[in-house]
Amino acid sequence: EKGGYRHFMAKEIAEQPIVLGDALSHYLRGEGIEMPEPGLDFTEFDRMVMVACGTANYACVVAKYWFESLAGISVEVDIASEFRYREPPIPPRTLALFVSQSGETADTLAALRYCEGKAARVASVVNVTESSIARESDLVLPIRAGAEIGVASTKAFTCQLTVLFLLALKAAHDRGRLDAEELEARIAALRQVPGLMNIAMASSDEIAAVAKSVSEARDVLFLGRGAMFPLAMEGALKLKEISYIHAEGYASGELKHGPIALVDKTVPVIVMAPSDHLFDKTVSNMQEVMARGGKVLLITDAKGARAAGDGCWKTILMPEVDPLLAPILYALPAQLLAYHAAIAKGTDVDQPRNLAKSVTVE
Ligand code: M6R
């Protein structure tokens, strides 16, 4: 059932172009974006609250950048275990959106129950559609990733992002911020992602080689800006979950506010940065790291690699992608890096110590 792969995680990483394509064709059957019944009209909401745990929470943080920049709607993101006990006010014109692969995470379910009767609508983005979270939602958006067995979430994350991006486009369209032509152009860019992922998969051997050195580190930093910041946190989570290496994800601009104190020649600093309008700022952050002897592993496109100049320890090239969509594509090298670091360390990739696939107790 591993389909010839050594681990479920490897299979699930490799499956992403196919399952992403499947999720897309499910939501893009006719003209525009098809919503399951009873549908959502974003003119009914003034704000959104998105709640989840772990990797699903990082998908929400990426989506916050999309909803805010494309649809102009304020989004609050919280981890479920904090949200549920905080007694946060939920104004009536709020869309409450819960993201969960399993649909059974106890804290996320409790957060959903807290919002029932307070929020205008309670919607969920789930993989398992016969789950408690799906059952208790007004509207369910399936991610269609297929069964995910590896404890480290991979394809569910990129499918969550894909569905959330479509939802952000719908929100932007409903709210008059994206006309039909722009919507079509955004959808066309999204449709390219599975193909770009296939191209990116070709870097697997190169990533395996660099992951071998990363596996010898005690601490690893991941840096990203904008929607790549939550991806940096996801990259760090993946690495710590399966290789047990201490890793942290930071917003690049936060580096000098503390974490740079950790940098020396033993600390790999993984910078995930497509060439976008903020790339220059990321280059100066990398220079700060290099000036302290830090080893920068830059994951970028050809243009970014040229702009970064010399001095990086290693560069992994990704195909060029719409910067808004980069978190989906760049999830792949982050997953591969964690996977190969775990292989190098000989840890149990699919069943990491102390972790369960579905956390049904708080
Ligand atoms: O099933 P869920 O999406 O609600 O699970 C949430 C987290 O427990 C999950 O994403 C966890 O962080 C994964 N092990 C990440 O790889």
Side-chain angles (χ1 to χ4, degrees):
E1 61 205 282
K2 290 184 193 149
Y5 289 91
R6 213 169 130 193
H7 298 99
F8 283 110
M9 185 180 177
K11 172 175 172 272
E12 289 160 5
I13 289 173
E15 260 168 16
Q16 290 178 106
I18 292 168
V19 290
L20 251 58
D22 178 50
L24 284 175
S25 45
H26 179 76
Y27 287 95
L28 299 171
R29 271 167 295 181
E31 288 201 356
I33 301 163
E34 286 193 27
M35 282 288 115
E37 289 301 322
L40 278 180
D41 176 356
F42 278 85
T43 61
E44 289 172 8
F45 313 122
D46 293 335
R47 64 190 283 274
M48 292 171 64
V49 56
M50 297 180 74
V51 183
C53 300
T55 288
N57 171 64
Y58 295 138
C60 293
V61 187
V62 172
K64 174 186 165 82
Y65 286 82
W66 293 337
F67 281 106
E68 292 191 346
S69 69
L70 292 167
I73 187 166
S74 298
V75 181
E76 184 199 344
V77 180
D78 209 345
I79 42 176
S81 55
E82 284 302 312
F83 179 88
R84 62 177 291 195
Y85 295 115
R86 213 155 42 82
E87 299 190 34
I90 309 289
R93 286 171 56 86
T94 300
L95 167 64
L97 187 60
F98 300 86
V99 180
S100 174
Q101 187 283 129
S102 63
E104 298 296 347
T105 300
D107 282 324
T108 309
L109 181 59
L112 181 151
R113 288 180 177 153
Y114 174 82
C115 290
E116 274 170 356
K118 298 189 185 77
R121 296 291 287 281
V122 170
S124 61
V125 172
V126 297
N127 196 27
V128 183
T129 48
E130 310 77 38
S131 58
S132 308
I133 288 175
R135 246 190 335 269
E136 297 196 25
S137 305
D138 303 332
L139 178 89
V140 181
L141 297 154
I143 61 167
R144 301 181 65 86
E148 191 183 64
I149 312 288
V151 165
S153 184
T154 52
K155 62 175 180 171
F157 176 67
T158 48
C159 285
Q160 284 161 351
L161 290 179
T162 302
V163 171
L164 290 169
F165 189 78
L166 285 170
L167 201 60
L169 292 183
K170 168 148 184 19
H173 188 57
D174 287 356
R175 293 164 68 85
R177 308 247 315 190
L178 211 57
D179 65 26
E181 208 176 306
E182 290 162 328
L183 178 66
E184 218 171 282
R186 293 278 182 200
I187 290 175
L190 182 61
R191 282 191 192 275
Q192 286 181 359
V193 172
L196 295 176
M197 258 197 186
N198 266 324
I199 298 173
M201 210 76 84
S203 311
S204 189
D205 289 348
E206 221 182 318
I207 295 174
V210 72
K212 212 160 185 295
S213 334
V214 170
S215 75
E216 286 155 19
R218 201 189 58 177
D219 306 292
V220 177
L221 290 179
F222 285 76
L223 301 181
R225 261 180 199 276
M228 297 299 281
F229 160 44
L231 188 67
M233 295 192 283
E234 166 62 5
L237 177 67
K238 235 37 349 142
L239 189 66
K240 57 189 143 191
E241 277 191 299
I242 59 169
S243 74
Y244 317 141
I245 296 168
H246 172 241
E248 297 298 336
Y250 279 98
S252 308
E254 272 290 294
L255 188 67
K256 56 168 81 60
H257 298 284
I260 199 159
L262 293 174
V263 172
D264 65 19
K265 60 182 189 322
T266 67
V267 181
V269 179
I270 299 166
V271 180
M272 296 195 287
S275 57
D276 58 12
H277 66 293
L278 295 173
F279 193 77
D280 287 356
K281 298 191 187 299
T282 301
V283 172
S284 25
N285 299 136
M286 290 189 322
Q287 282 161 350
E288 289 156 11
V289 169
M290 292 185 286
R292 285 153 187 89
K295 293 166 34 175
V296 173
L297 164 58
L298 175 62
I299 308 181
T300 187
D301 48 39
K303 208 166 134 204
R306 276 196 302 276
D310 299 331
C312 287
W313 168 50
K314 293 266 161 37
T315 304
I316 304 283
L317 287 185
M318 291 289 108
E320 226 172 279
V321 63
D322 177 340
L324 266 189
L325 295 170
I328 311 182
L329 179 66
Y330 282 58
L332 185 82
Q335 296 161 352
L336 287 171
L337 189 75
Y339 176 75
H340 289 296
I343 297 290
K345 291 199 76 171
T347 53
D348 185 343
V349 171
D350 285 333
Q351 291 279 312
R353 69 185 184 202
N354 309 342
L355 297 177
K357 183 63 187 163
S358 180
V359 184
T360 53
V361 290
E362 63 168 290

